[in-house]
Amino acid sequence: ITKYEVIAREELNGHPVTRVSLTSVTGRTHQLNVHCAAFGHPIVGDNVYGIDGEAAPHGGLAVTSRVDEELQRKIKAATEGSPVRIHARSISFKHPVTRKMVTIESPPPF
């Protein structure tokens, strides 16, 4: 399960993109990437689950993309060589020695 919230609609190198806040509820590996790809909105710069990526299209689901594939390819070309646009805004864990909760926050660099 992934919760999402639309934060802003923006442009990236002249192409429309949407900034979202994603919260992984079940915490599976690559969960955010797969879920975004599955509903037709892959994470920008994701060369595995994004358009023409290494993994099955749309997170392996037999669906038609909700986003124009030509637009996805343009965004991919415009961001080629850039890191994937995913960032942990905050992370919390119990310190292994003090047993106190530690929260680290960092604004996205993009």
Side-chain angles (χ1 to χ4, degrees), residues 16-92:
V17 295
T18 303
R19 184 178 297 264
V20 294
S21 175
L22 301 169
T23 302
S24 172
V25 176
T26 51
R28 303 286 186 195
T29 302
H30 300 253
Q31 174 177 319
L32 303 177
N33 306 64
V34 172
H35 285 178
C36 286
F39 65 84
H41 296 277
I43 295 171
V44 172
D46 187 343
N47 292 321
V48 176
Y49 300 98
I51 189 77
D52 301 326
E54 300 166 15
H58 311 295
L61 297 178
V63 297
T64 303
S65 177
R66 295 181 185 172
V67 176
D68 184 319
E69 289 187 5
E70 180 182 346
L71 174 59
Q72 290 185 43
R73 286 192 179 88
K74 286 179 181 178
I75 292 170
K76 179 179 180 175
T79 59
E80 198 71 42
S82 298
V84 65
R85 299 307 201 282
I86 191 168
H87 174 76
R89 184 182 64 213
S90 69
I91 187 168
S92 298

